[in-house]
Amino acid sequence: DQQVKQNSPSLSVQEGRISILNCDYTNSMFDYFLWYKKYPAEGPTFLISISSIKDKNEDGRFTVFLNKSAKHLSLHIVPSQPGDSAVYFCAASGLTDSWGKLQFGAGTQVVVTP
Amino acid sequence: GAGVSQSPRYKVAKRGQDVALRCDPISGHVSLFWYQQALGQGPEFLTYFQNEAQLDKSGLPSDRFFAERPEGSVSTLKIQRTQQEDSAVYLCASTKGGKETQYFGPGTRLLVL
Protein backbone atom coordinates (compact mmCIF):
# COMPACT_ATOMS: atom_id res chain seq x y z
CA ASP A 1 0.00 0.00 0.00
CA GLN A 2 1.31 3.39 -1.00
CA GLN A 3 1.43 5.53 2.15
CA VAL A 4 3.02 8.54 0.45
CA LYS A 5 1.40 9.82 -2.72
CA GLN A 6 2.38 12.38 -5.27
CA ASN A 7 -0.60 12.60 -7.57
CA SER A 8 0.94 14.87 -10.16
CA PRO A 9 3.48 12.99 -12.25
CA SER A 10 4.62 16.15 -13.99
CA LEU A 11 4.64 19.93 -13.69
CA SER A 12 5.68 22.54 -16.21
CA VAL A 13 6.42 26.07 -15.02
CA GLN A 14 7.88 29.17 -16.52
CA GLU A 15 11.22 30.46 -15.29
CA GLY A 16 10.75 33.02 -12.53
CA ARG A 17 7.32 31.74 -11.53
CA ILE A 18 6.41 29.64 -8.50
CA SER A 19 6.50 25.85 -8.59
CA ILE A 20 4.14 24.10 -6.16
CA LEU A 21 4.56 20.38 -5.61
CA ASN A 22 2.08 18.43 -3.55
CA CYS A 23 2.30 15.30 -1.46
CA ASP A 24 -0.32 13.41 0.55
CA TYR A 25 0.20 10.71 3.13
CA THR A 26 -2.04 8.25 4.90
CA ASN A 27 -0.03 7.17 7.94
CA SER A 28 -0.68 9.41 10.96
CA MET A 29 2.45 8.00 12.61
CA PHE A 30 4.73 9.83 10.17
CA ASP A 31 6.58 12.57 12.04
CA TYR A 32 9.35 13.67 9.70
CA PHE A 33 9.04 14.66 6.06
CA LEU A 34 11.65 15.35 3.43
CA TRP A 35 11.91 16.46 -0.17
CA TYR A 36 14.58 15.06 -2.45
CA LYS A 37 15.56 16.20 -5.92
CA LYS A 38 16.85 13.78 -8.53
CA TYR A 39 18.63 14.35 -11.81
CA PRO A 40 18.89 11.52 -14.37
CA ALA A 41 21.57 8.92 -13.60
CA GLU A 42 22.20 10.43 -10.17
CA GLY A 43 21.00 9.51 -6.71
CA PRO A 44 18.39 11.62 -4.89
CA THR A 45 19.78 14.79 -3.30
CA PHE A 46 18.32 16.09 -0.05
CA LEU A 47 16.53 19.41 -0.46
CA ILE A 48 14.59 20.33 2.65
CA SER A 49 12.82 18.68 5.57
CA ILE A 50 10.18 19.40 8.18
CA SER A 51 9.33 17.89 11.51
CA SER A 52 5.71 17.29 12.45
CA ILE A 53 5.98 19.85 15.27
CA LYS A 54 6.27 22.59 12.64
CA ASP A 55 4.00 23.71 9.83
CA LYS A 56 6.55 25.57 7.74
CA ASN A 57 10.25 25.42 7.00
CA GLU A 58 12.11 27.71 4.66
CA ASP A 59 15.53 27.48 3.06
CA GLY A 60 16.34 30.05 0.42
CA ARG A 61 14.04 29.59 -2.55
CA PHE A 62 12.49 26.45 -1.05
CA THR A 63 9.66 26.36 1.47
CA VAL A 64 7.88 23.28 2.74
CA PHE A 65 4.42 23.53 4.29
CA LEU A 66 2.88 20.79 6.42
CA ASN A 67 -0.84 20.45 7.12
CA LYS A 68 -1.11 17.58 9.60
CA SER A 69 -4.89 17.58 9.81
CA ALA A 70 -5.12 17.14 6.05
CA LYS A 71 -2.08 14.83 5.94
CA HIS A 72 -0.70 17.02 3.20
CA LEU A 73 2.57 18.75 2.50
CA SER A 74 3.74 20.95 -0.30
CA LEU A 75 7.01 22.30 -1.62
CA HIS A 76 7.17 25.81 -3.02
CA ILE A 77 10.05 26.90 -5.21
CA VAL A 78 10.25 30.65 -5.77
CA PRO A 79 11.47 31.78 -8.21
CA SER A 80 11.83 28.68 -10.39
CA GLN A 81 15.06 28.37 -12.36
CA PRO A 82 15.99 26.12 -15.31
CA GLY A 83 18.36 24.18 -13.02
CA ASP A 84 15.35 23.17 -10.93
CA SER A 85 14.21 20.87 -13.73
CA ALA A 86 14.38 17.43 -12.10
CA VAL A 87 12.24 14.77 -10.44
CA TYR A 88 11.15 15.70 -6.92
CA PHE A 89 10.35 13.02 -4.37
CA CYS A 90 8.42 13.48 -1.17
CA ALA A 91 9.47 11.10 1.64
CA ALA A 92 8.29 10.39 5.17
CA SER A 93 9.61 8.69 8.26
CA GLY A 94 7.57 7.17 11.08
CA LEU A 95 7.40 8.02 14.77
CA THR A 96 7.91 4.38 15.63
CA ASP A 97 10.79 4.03 13.21
CA SER A 98 13.79 4.89 15.32
CA TRP A 99 16.30 4.65 12.53
CA GLY A 100 14.59 6.72 9.93
CA LYS A 101 13.46 4.29 7.25
CA LEU A 102 11.98 6.45 4.49
CA GLN A 103 8.84 5.89 2.45
CA PHE A 104 8.80 7.72 -0.85
CA GLY A 105 6.17 8.98 -3.22
CA ALA A 106 6.41 8.18 -6.93
CA GLY A 107 7.87 11.57 -7.78
CA THR A 108 6.91 14.66 -9.78
CA GLN A 109 8.87 15.61 -12.90
CA VAL A 110 9.35 19.37 -12.95
CA VAL A 111 10.26 21.16 -16.17
CA VAL A 112 11.17 24.84 -15.94
CA THR A 113 10.90 26.57 -19.29
CA PRO A 114 12.73 29.80 -20.20
CA GLY B 1 35.32 11.79 -2.79
CA ALA B 2 33.24 12.65 0.23
CA GLY B 3 29.95 11.20 -0.98
CA VAL B 4 28.40 7.76 -1.10
CA SER B 5 29.76 5.69 -3.96
CA GLN B 6 28.30 2.58 -5.58
CA SER B 7 29.66 0.06 -8.01
CA PRO B 8 29.09 -1.05 -10.62
CA ARG B 9 27.01 1.79 -11.99
CA TYR B 10 25.41 -0.53 -14.54
CA LYS B 11 25.01 -4.27 -14.53
CA VAL B 12 23.44 -6.53 -17.13
CA ALA B 13 22.74 -10.06 -15.93
CA LYS B 14 21.21 -13.10 -17.52
CA ARG B 15 18.22 -14.55 -15.73
CA GLY B 16 19.43 -16.98 -13.09
CA GLN B 17 22.81 -15.31 -12.63
CA ASP B 18 23.98 -14.08 -9.21
CA VAL B 19 24.98 -10.42 -8.82
CA ALA B 20 26.73 -8.40 -6.12
CA LEU B 21 26.31 -4.66 -5.72
CA ARG B 22 28.68 -2.61 -3.61
CA CYS B 23 28.14 0.50 -1.52
CA ASP B 24 30.82 2.69 0.05
CA PRO B 25 29.12 5.02 2.55
CA ILE B 26 30.40 8.38 3.69
CA SER B 27 33.31 7.85 6.05
CA GLY B 28 32.19 7.60 9.65
CA HIS B 29 28.52 7.14 8.85
CA VAL B 30 27.00 4.61 11.18
CA SER B 31 23.73 3.94 9.37
CA LEU B 32 23.39 2.45 5.92
CA PHE B 33 20.21 1.84 3.92
CA TRP B 34 19.48 -0.01 0.68
CA TYR B 35 16.54 0.97 -1.50
CA GLN B 36 15.16 -0.43 -4.76
CA GLN B 37 13.71 1.95 -7.34
CA ALA B 38 11.62 0.52 -10.15
CA LEU B 39 11.08 2.54 -13.30
CA GLY B 40 8.68 5.43 -12.73
CA GLN B 41 8.44 4.79 -8.99
CA GLY B 42 10.00 6.17 -5.86
CA PRO B 43 12.69 4.28 -3.96
CA GLU B 44 11.44 1.44 -1.75
CA PHE B 45 13.21 0.42 1.43
CA LEU B 46 15.03 -2.91 1.39
CA THR B 47 17.23 -3.12 4.47
CA TYR B 48 19.05 -1.14 7.16
CA PHE B 49 22.39 -1.52 8.97
CA GLN B 50 23.66 0.16 12.08
CA ASN B 51 27.40 -0.43 11.92
CA GLU B 52 27.71 -4.14 11.09
CA ALA B 53 24.33 -5.11 12.52
CA GLN B 54 21.44 -5.62 10.11
CA LEU B 55 18.58 -4.25 12.20
CA ASP B 56 15.83 -4.27 9.61
CA LYS B 57 15.50 -6.44 6.53
CA SER B 58 11.74 -6.25 6.24
CA GLY B 59 11.87 -4.80 2.72
CA LEU B 60 13.88 -7.56 1.08
CA PRO B 61 11.47 -9.01 -1.49
CA SER B 62 12.59 -12.62 -1.26
CA ASP B 63 15.20 -14.90 0.22
CA ARG B 64 17.18 -14.44 -2.99
CA PHE B 65 18.20 -11.03 -1.65
CA PHE B 66 20.97 -10.87 0.93
CA ALA B 67 22.90 -7.90 2.32
CA GLU B 68 25.94 -7.66 4.52
CA ARG B 69 28.21 -5.07 6.09
CA PRO B 70 30.79 -7.17 7.90
CA GLU B 71 33.10 -4.41 9.12
CA GLY B 72 30.56 -1.67 9.54
CA SER B 73 31.60 0.34 6.49
CA VAL B 74 31.30 -1.11 2.96
CA SER B 75 28.09 -3.01 2.27
CA THR B 76 27.22 -5.55 -0.40
CA LEU B 77 23.76 -6.38 -1.68
CA LYS B 78 23.66 -9.80 -3.29
CA ILE B 79 20.87 -11.11 -5.47
CA GLN B 80 20.88 -14.79 -6.24
CA ARG B 81 19.26 -16.38 -9.28
CA THR B 82 18.20 -13.02 -10.68
CA GLN B 83 14.75 -12.67 -12.24
CA GLN B 84 13.49 -10.09 -14.72
CA GLU B 85 11.44 -8.40 -12.00
CA ASP B 86 14.69 -7.63 -10.17
CA SER B 87 15.52 -5.08 -12.87
CA ALA B 88 15.67 -1.73 -11.09
CA VAL B 89 18.02 0.90 -9.74
CA TYR B 90 19.49 -0.07 -6.39
CA LEU B 91 20.29 2.90 -4.19
CA CYS B 92 22.42 3.04 -1.10
CA ALA B 93 22.19 5.82 1.49
CA SER B 94 24.10 6.57 4.66
CA THR B 95 23.65 8.80 7.71
CA LYS B 96 25.58 9.70 10.81
CA GLY B 97 23.01 7.73 12.76
CA GLY B 98 19.45 7.91 13.99
CA LYS B 99 16.99 9.98 12.04
CA GLU B 100 19.54 12.12 10.29
CA THR B 101 19.40 13.19 6.67
CA GLN B 102 20.10 10.31 4.32
CA TYR B 103 22.73 10.90 1.66
CA PHE B 104 22.32 8.78 -1.43
CA GLY B 105 24.78 7.25 -3.83
CA PRO B 106 24.27 7.39 -7.61
CA GLY B 107 22.76 3.91 -7.68
CA THR B 108 23.41 0.72 -9.61
CA ARG B 109 21.12 0.15 -12.56
CA LEU B 110 20.49 -3.59 -12.88
CA LEU B 111 18.98 -5.05 -16.02
CA VAL B 112 18.10 -8.75 -15.99
CA LEU B 113 17.57 -10.26 -19.42
PDB file of all heavy atoms in Angstrom, chain A residues 61-89:
ATOM      1  N   ARG A  61      15.188  29.565  -1.632  1.00  0.00           N
ATOM      2  CA  ARG A  61      14.039  29.594  -2.547  1.00  0.00           C
ATOM      3  C   ARG A  61      13.013  28.492  -2.255  1.00  0.00           C
ATOM      4  O   ARG A  61      11.965  28.440  -2.896  1.00  0.00           O
ATOM      5  CB  ARG A  61      14.532  29.437  -3.989  1.00  0.00           C
ATOM      6  CG  ARG A  61      15.423  30.565  -4.486  1.00  0.00           C
ATOM      7  CD  ARG A  61      15.776  30.400  -5.967  1.00  0.00           C
ATOM      8  NE  ARG A  61      16.530  29.178  -6.244  1.00  0.00           N
ATOM      9  CZ  ARG A  61      16.070  28.171  -6.966  1.00  0.00           C
ATOM     10  NH1 ARG A  61      14.855  28.205  -7.496  1.00  0.00           N
ATOM     11  NH2 ARG A  61      16.837  27.107  -7.182  1.00  0.00           N
ATOM     12  N   PHE A  62      13.330  27.627  -1.325  1.00  0.00           N
ATOM     13  CA  PHE A  62      12.494  26.451  -1.052  1.00  0.00           C
ATOM     14  C   PHE A  62      11.772  26.587   0.287  1.00  0.00           C
ATOM     15  O   PHE A  62      12.394  26.900   1.305  1.00  0.00           O
ATOM     16  CB  PHE A  62      13.355  25.180  -1.045  1.00  0.00           C
ATOM     17  CG  PHE A  62      14.123  24.970  -2.319  1.00  0.00           C
ATOM     18  CD1 PHE A  62      15.422  25.435  -2.453  1.00  0.00           C
ATOM     19  CD2 PHE A  62      13.532  24.330  -3.394  1.00  0.00           C
ATOM     20  CE1 PHE A  62      16.130  25.249  -3.635  1.00  0.00           C
ATOM     21  CE2 PHE A  62      14.224  24.148  -4.580  1.00  0.00           C
ATOM     22  CZ  PHE A  62      15.526  24.611  -4.706  1.00  0.00           C
ATOM     23  N   THR A  63      10.467  26.347   0.249  1.00  0.00           N
ATOM     24  CA  THR A  63       9.655  26.356   1.465  1.00  0.00           C
ATOM     25  C   THR A  63       8.785  25.117   1.472  1.00  0.00           C
ATOM     26  O   THR A  63       8.154  24.804   0.451  1.00  0.00           O
ATOM     27  CB  THR A  63       8.762  27.607   1.548  1.00  0.00           C
ATOM     28  OG1 THR A  63       9.583  28.779   1.470  1.00  0.00           O
ATOM     29  CG2 THR A  63       7.990  27.636   2.860  1.00  0.00           C
ATOM     30  N   VAL A  64       8.760  24.428   2.595  1.00  0.00           N
ATOM     31  CA  VAL A  64       7.876  23.279   2.737  1.00  0.00           C
ATOM     32  C   VAL A  64       6.805  23.630   3.763  1.00  0.00           C
ATOM     33  O   VAL A  64       7.097  24.204   4.821  1.00  0.00           O
ATOM     34  CB  VAL A  64       8.649  21.994   3.120  1.00  0.00           C
ATOM     35  CG1 VAL A  64       9.465  22.179   4.386  1.00  0.00           C
ATOM     36  CG2 VAL A  64       7.704  20.814   3.256  1.00  0.00           C
ATOM     37  N   PHE A  65       5.558  23.311   3.415  1.00  0.00           N
ATOM     38  CA  PHE A  65       4.420  23.529   4.290  1.00  0.00           C
ATOM     39  C   PHE A  65       3.838  22.173   4.669  1.00  0.00           C
ATOM     40  O   PHE A  65       3.703  21.294   3.823  1.00  0.00           O
ATOM     41  CB  PHE A  65       3.346  24.352   3.575  1.00  0.00           C
ATOM     42  CG  PHE A  65       3.768  25.742   3.210  1.00  0.00           C
ATOM     43  CD1 PHE A  65       4.344  26.000   1.966  1.00  0.00           C
ATOM     44  CD2 PHE A  65       3.604  26.792   4.102  1.00  0.00           C
ATOM     45  CE1 PHE A  65       4.743  27.288   1.624  1.00  0.00           C
ATOM     46  CE2 PHE A  65       3.999  28.074   3.767  1.00  0.00           C
ATOM     47  CZ  PHE A  65       4.575  28.322   2.520  1.00  0.00           C
ATOM     48  N   LEU A  66       3.475  22.038   5.939  1.00  0.00           N
ATOM     49  CA  LEU A  66       2.883  20.794   6.423  1.00  0.00           C
ATOM     50  C   LEU A  66       1.522  21.077   7.038  1.00  0.00           C
ATOM     51  O   LEU A  66       1.400  21.916   7.931  1.00  0.00           O
ATOM     52  CB  LEU A  66       3.798  20.127   7.462  1.00  0.00           C
ATOM     53  CG  LEU A  66       3.268  18.867   8.138  1.00  0.00           C
ATOM     54  CD1 LEU A  66       3.033  17.753   7.120  1.00  0.00           C
ATOM     55  CD2 LEU A  66       4.232  18.395   9.227  1.00  0.00           C
ATOM     56  N   ASN A  67       0.510  20.364   6.566  1.00  0.00           N
ATOM     57  CA  ASN A  67      -0.836  20.447   7.117  1.00  0.00           C
ATOM     58  C   ASN A  67      -1.176  19.065   7.685  1.00  0.00           C
ATOM     59  O   ASN A  67      -1.600  18.170   6.958  1.00  0.00           O
ATOM     60  CB  ASN A  67      -1.832  20.854   6.024  1.00  0.00           C
ATOM     61  CG  ASN A  67      -3.247  21.003   6.551  1.00  0.00           C
ATOM     62  OD1 ASN A  67      -3.631  20.392   7.552  1.00  0.00           O
ATOM     63  ND2 ASN A  67      -4.045  21.800   5.869  1.00  0.00           N
ATOM     64  N   LYS A  68      -0.963  18.909   8.981  1.00  0.00           N
ATOM     65  CA  LYS A  68      -1.114  17.583   9.596  1.00  0.00           C
ATOM     66  C   LYS A  68      -2.556  17.098   9.575  1.00  0.00           C
ATOM     67  O   LYS A  68      -2.810  15.907   9.395  1.00  0.00           O
ATOM     68  CB  LYS A  68      -0.591  17.606  11.030  1.00  0.00           C
ATOM     69  CG  LYS A  68       0.929  17.719  11.119  1.00  0.00           C
ATOM     70  CD  LYS A  68       1.420  17.572  12.527  1.00  0.00           C
ATOM     71  CE  LYS A  68       1.079  18.759  13.401  1.00  0.00           C
ATOM     72  NZ  LYS A  68       1.781  19.991  12.972  1.00  0.00           N
ATOM     73  N   SER A  69      -3.491  18.011   9.764  1.00  0.00           N
ATOM     74  CA  SER A  69      -4.890  17.579   9.808  1.00  0.00           C
ATOM     75  C   SER A  69      -5.332  17.031   8.453  1.00  0.00           C
ATOM     76  O   SER A  69      -6.137  16.102   8.379  1.00  0.00           O
ATOM     77  CB  SER A  69      -5.799  18.729  10.241  1.00  0.00           C
ATOM     78  OG  SER A  69      -5.689  19.808   9.339  1.00  0.00           O
ATOM     79  N   ALA A  70      -4.780  17.605   7.383  1.00  0.00           N
ATOM     80  CA  ALA A  70      -5.119  17.135   6.047  1.00  0.00           C
ATOM     81  C   ALA A  70      -4.162  16.061   5.555  1.00  0.00           C
ATOM     82  O   ALA A  70      -4.342  15.514   4.461  1.00  0.00           O
ATOM     83  CB  ALA A  70      -5.118  18.300   5.070  1.00  0.00           C
ATOM     84  N   LYS A  71      -3.123  15.774   6.343  1.00  0.00           N
ATOM     85  CA  LYS A  71      -2.079  14.828   5.935  1.00  0.00           C
ATOM     86  C   LYS A  71      -1.540  15.226   4.552  1.00  0.00           C
ATOM     87  O   LYS A  71      -1.501  14.412   3.616  1.00  0.00           O
ATOM     88  CB  LYS A  71      -2.590  13.388   5.933  1.00  0.00           C
ATOM     89  CG  LYS A  71      -2.961  12.852   7.310  1.00  0.00           C
ATOM     90  CD  LYS A  71      -3.160  11.337   7.253  1.00  0.00           C
ATOM     91  CE  LYS A  71      -3.493  10.767   8.608  1.00  0.00           C
ATOM     92  NZ  LYS A  71      -4.818  11.194   9.099  1.00  0.00           N
ATOM     93  N   HIS A  72      -1.123  16.462   4.477  1.00  0.00           N
ATOM     94  CA  HIS A  72      -0.704  17.022   3.196  1.00  0.00           C
ATOM     95  C   HIS A  72       0.515  17.910   3.406  1.00  0.00           C
ATOM     96  O   HIS A  72       0.595  18.668   4.375  1.00  0.00           O
ATOM     97  CB  HIS A  72      -1.847  17.861   2.594  1.00  0.00           C
ATOM     98  CG  HIS A  72      -1.487  18.534   1.320  1.00  0.00           C
ATOM     99  ND1 HIS A  72      -1.556  17.909   0.091  1.00  0.00           N
ATOM    100  CD2 HIS A  72      -1.050  19.794   1.073  1.00  0.00           C
ATOM    101  CE1 HIS A  72      -1.163  18.752  -0.851  1.00  0.00           C
ATOM    102  NE2 HIS A  72      -0.861  19.900  -0.293  1.00  0.00           N
ATOM    103  N   LEU A  73       1.470  17.793   2.496  1.00  0.00           N
ATOM    104  CA  LEU A  73       2.569  18.748   2.500  1.00  0.00           C
ATOM    105  C   LEU A  73       2.835  19.224   1.082  1.00  0.00           C
ATOM    106  O   LEU A  73       2.440  18.572   0.098  1.00  0.00           O
ATOM    107  CB  LEU A  73       3.840  18.198   3.155  1.00  0.00           C
ATOM    108  CG  LEU A  73       4.616  17.057   2.542  1.00  0.00           C
ATOM    109  CD1 LEU A  73       6.059  17.105   3.023  1.00  0.00           C
ATOM    110  CD2 LEU A  73       4.013  15.727   2.965  1.00  0.00           C
ATOM    111  N   SER A  74       3.440  20.389   1.007  1.00  0.00           N
ATOM    112  CA  SER A  74       3.744  20.955  -0.301  1.00  0.00           C
ATOM    113  C   SER A  74       5.121  21.603  -0.267  1.00  0.00           C
ATOM    114  O   SER A  74       5.616  22.006   0.787  1.00  0.00           O
ATOM    115  CB  SER A  74       2.682  21.970  -0.722  1.00  0.00           C
ATOM    116  OG  SER A  74       2.642  23.042   0.194  1.00  0.00           O
ATOM    117  N   LEU A  75       5.711  21.649  -1.427  1.00  0.00           N
ATOM    118  CA  LEU A  75       7.015  22.301  -1.617  1.00  0.00           C
ATOM    119  C   LEU A  75       6.818  23.453  -2.586  1.00  0.00           C
ATOM    120  O   LEU A  75       6.277  23.254  -3.676  1.00  0.00           O
ATOM    121  CB  LEU A  75       8.033  21.304  -2.186  1.00  0.00           C
ATOM    122  CG  LEU A  75       9.395  21.883  -2.558  1.00  0.00           C
ATOM    123  CD1 LEU A  75      10.154  22.317  -1.309  1.00  0.00           C
ATOM    124  CD2 LEU A  75      10.213  20.871  -3.367  1.00  0.00           C
ATOM    125  N   HIS A  76       7.233  24.637  -2.165  1.00  0.00           N
ATOM    126  CA  HIS A  76       7.169  25.813  -3.018  1.00  0.00           C
ATOM    127  C   HIS A  76       8.584  26.202  -3.423  1.00  0.00           C
ATOM    128  O   HIS A  76       9.476  26.301  -2.559  1.00  0.00           O
ATOM    129  CB  HIS A  76       6.506  26.980  -2.274  1.00  0.00           C
ATOM    130  CG  HIS A  76       5.055  26.771  -2.001  1.00  0.00           C
ATOM    131  ND1 HIS A  76       4.164  27.818  -1.872  1.00  0.00           N
ATOM    132  CD2 HIS A  76       4.313  25.641  -1.845  1.00  0.00           C
ATOM    133  CE1 HIS A  76       2.963  27.332  -1.644  1.00  0.00           C
ATOM    134  NE2 HIS A  76       3.022  26.023  -1.612  1.00  0.00           N
ATOM    135  N   ILE A  77       8.768  26.447  -4.698  1.00  0.00           N
ATOM    136  CA  ILE A  77      10.052  26.899  -5.207  1.00  0.00           C
ATOM    137  C   ILE A  77       9.820  28.266  -5.857  1.00  0.00           C
ATOM    138  O   ILE A  77       9.069  28.382  -6.829  1.00  0.00           O
ATOM    139  CB  ILE A  77      10.636  25.927  -6.253  1.00  0.00           C
ATOM    140  CG1 ILE A  77      10.685  24.502  -5.699  1.00  0.00           C
ATOM    141  CG2 ILE A  77      12.044  26.383  -6.660  1.00  0.00           C
ATOM    142  CD1 ILE A  77      11.107  23.451  -6.732  1.00  0.00           C
ATOM    143  N   VAL A  78      10.448  29.293  -5.263  1.00  0.00           N
ATOM    144  CA  VAL A  78      10.255  30.649  -5.768  1.00  0.00           C
ATOM    145  C   VAL A  78      11.582  31.419  -5.768  1.00  0.00           C
ATOM    146  O   VAL A  78      12.190  31.537  -4.701  1.00  0.00           O
ATOM    147  CB  VAL A  78       9.237  31.429  -4.900  1.00  0.00           C
ATOM    148  CG1 VAL A  78       8.975  32.801  -5.492  1.00  0.00           C
ATOM    149  CG2 VAL A  78       7.943  30.667  -4.727  1.00  0.00           C
ATOM    150  N   PRO A  79      12.015  31.993  -6.883  1.00  0.00           N
ATOM    151  CA  PRO A  79      11.472  31.777  -8.210  1.00  0.00           C
ATOM    152  C   PRO A  79      12.050  30.507  -8.827  1.00  0.00           C
ATOM    153  O   PRO A  79      13.164  30.091  -8.489  1.00  0.00           O
ATOM    154  CB  PRO A  79      11.979  33.004  -8.967  1.00  0.00           C
ATOM    155  CG  PRO A  79      13.298  33.313  -8.308  1.00  0.00           C
ATOM    156  CD  PRO A  79      13.140  32.933  -6.863  1.00  0.00           C
ATOM    157  N   SER A  80      11.341  29.890  -9.724  1.00  0.00           N
ATOM    158  CA  SER A  80      11.827  28.682 -10.387  1.00  0.00           C
ATOM    159  C   SER A  80      12.928  29.042 -11.385  1.00  0.00           C
ATOM    160  O   SER A  80      12.861  30.086 -12.058  1.00  0.00           O
ATOM    161  CB  SER A  80      10.679  27.987 -11.128  1.00  0.00           C
ATOM    162  OG  SER A  80       9.671  27.614 -10.211  1.00  0.00           O
ATOM    163  N   GLN A  81      13.925  28.165 -11.448  1.00  0.00           N
ATOM    164  CA  GLN A  81      15.056  28.368 -12.357  1.00  0.00           C
ATOM    165  C   GLN A  81      15.221  27.134 -13.237  1.00  0.00           C
ATOM    166  O   GLN A  81      14.835  26.026 -12.829  1.00  0.00           O
ATOM    167  CB  GLN A  81      16.336  28.601 -11.541  1.00  0.00           C
ATOM    168  CG  GLN A  81      16.288  29.814 -10.636  1.00  0.00           C
ATOM    169  CD  GLN A  81      17.508  29.946  -9.742  1.00  0.00           C
ATOM    170  OE1 GLN A  81      18.357  29.061  -9.684  1.00  0.00           O
ATOM    171  NE2 GLN A  81      17.601  31.072  -9.042  1.00  0.00           N
ATOM    172  N   PRO A  82      15.820  27.277 -14.410  1.00  0.00           N
ATOM    173  CA  PRO A  82      15.990  26.117 -15.306  1.00  0.00           C
ATOM    174  C   PRO A  82      16.710  24.950 -14.633  1.00  0.00           C
ATOM    175  O   PRO A  82      16.385  23.789 -14.884  1.00  0.00           O
ATOM    176  CB  PRO A  82      16.810  26.697 -16.463  1.00  0.00           C
ATOM    177  CG  PRO A  82      16.437  28.139 -16.495  1.00  0.00           C
ATOM    178  CD  PRO A  82      16.241  28.539 -15.060  1.00  0.00           C
ATOM    179  N   GLY A  83      17.642  25.237 -13.723  1.00  0.00           N
ATOM    180  CA  GLY A  83      18.356  24.176 -13.020  1.00  0.00           C
ATOM    181  C   GLY A  83      17.495  23.402 -12.051  1.00  0.00           C
ATOM    182  O   GLY A  83      17.917  22.361 -11.524  1.00  0.00           O
ATOM    183  N   ASP A  84      16.278  23.886 -11.810  1.00  0.00           N
ATOM    184  CA  ASP A  84      15.353  23.171 -10.928  1.00  0.00           C
ATOM    185  C   ASP A  84      14.656  22.028 -11.660  1.00  0.00           C
ATOM    186  O   ASP A  84      13.940  21.230 -11.034  1.00  0.00           O
ATOM    187  CB  ASP A  84      14.283  24.126 -10.372  1.00  0.00           C
ATOM    188  CG  ASP A  84      14.860  25.211  -9.483  1.00  0.00           C
ATOM    189  OD1 ASP A  84      15.914  24.970  -8.853  1.00  0.00           O
ATOM    190  OD2 ASP A  84      14.264  26.308  -9.424  1.00  0.00           O
ATOM    191  N   SER A  85      14.836  21.943 -12.965  1.00  0.00           N
ATOM    192  CA  SER A  85      14.215  20.867 -13.731  1.00  0.00           C
ATOM    193  C   SER A  85      14.798  19.527 -13.276  1.00  0.00           C
ATOM    194  O   SER A  85      15.996  19.272 -13.429  1.00  0.00           O
ATOM    195  CB  SER A  85      14.471  21.067 -15.230  1.00  0.00           C
ATOM    196  OG  SER A  85      13.847  22.252 -15.687  1.00  0.00           O
ATOM    197  N   ALA A  86      13.957  18.702 -12.698  1.00  0.00           N
ATOM    198  CA  ALA A  86      14.383  17.429 -12.105  1.00  0.00           C
ATOM    199  C   ALA A  86      13.134  16.693 -11.641  1.00  0.00           C
ATOM    200  O   ALA A  86      12.017  17.199 -11.762  1.00  0.00           O
ATOM    201  CB  ALA A  86      15.308  17.674 -10.908  1.00  0.00           C
ATOM    202  N   VAL A  87      13.334  15.492 -11.107  1.00  0.00           N
ATOM    203  CA  VAL A  87      12.242  14.768 -10.444  1.00  0.00           C
ATOM    204  C   VAL A  87      12.330  15.046  -8.950  1.00  0.00           C
ATOM    205  O   VAL A  87      13.411  14.954  -8.364  1.00  0.00           O
ATOM    206  CB  VAL A  87      12.318  13.258 -10.716  1.00  0.00           C
ATOM    207  CG1 VAL A  87      11.195  12.522  -9.964  1.00  0.00           C
ATOM    208  CG2 VAL A  87      12.231  12.973 -12.209  1.00  0.00           C
ATOM    209  N   TYR A  88      11.207  15.389  -8.349  1.00  0.00           N
ATOM    210  CA  TYR A  88      11.154  15.698  -6.924  1.00  0.00           C
ATOM    211  C   TYR A  88      10.375  14.599  -6.205  1.00  0.00           C
ATOM    212  O   TYR A  88       9.252  14.266  -6.580  1.00  0.00           O
ATOM    213  CB  TYR A  88      10.492  17.054  -6.692  1.00  0.00           C
ATOM    214  CG  TYR A  88      11.364  18.192  -7.149  1.00  0.00           C
ATOM    215  CD1 TYR A  88      11.469  18.505  -8.496  1.00  0.00           C
ATOM    216  CD2 TYR A  88      12.103  18.937  -6.235  1.00  0.00           C
ATOM    217  CE1 TYR A  88      12.298  19.521  -8.936  1.00  0.00           C
ATOM    218  CE2 TYR A  88      12.927  19.967  -6.657  1.00  0.00           C
ATOM    219  CZ  TYR A  88      13.016  20.249  -8.007  1.00  0.00           C
ATOM    220  OH  TYR A  88      13.845  21.264  -8.430  1.00  0.00           O
ATOM    221  N   PHE A  89      10.988  14.068  -5.161  1.00  0.00           N
ATOM    222  CA  PHE A  89      10.354  13.020  -4.366  1.00  0.00           C
ATOM    223  C   PHE A  89      10.031  13.545  -2.978  1.00  0.00           C
ATOM    224  O   PHE A  89      10.867  14.185  -2.322  1.00  0.00           O
ATOM    225  CB  PHE A  89      11.289  11.812  -4.213  1.00  0.00           C
ATOM    226  CG  PHE A  89      11.509  11.044  -5.477  1.00  0.00           C
ATOM    227  CD1 PHE A  89      12.657  11.235  -6.234  1.00  0.00           C
ATOM    228  CD2 PHE A  89      10.567  10.116  -5.914  1.00  0.00           C
ATOM    229  CE1 PHE A  89      12.870  10.512  -7.402  1.00  0.00           C
ATOM    230  CE2 PHE A  89      10.772   9.394  -7.086  1.00  0.00           C
ATOM    231  CZ  PHE A  89      11.923   9.606  -7.832  1.00  0.00           C
TER     232      PHE A  89
END
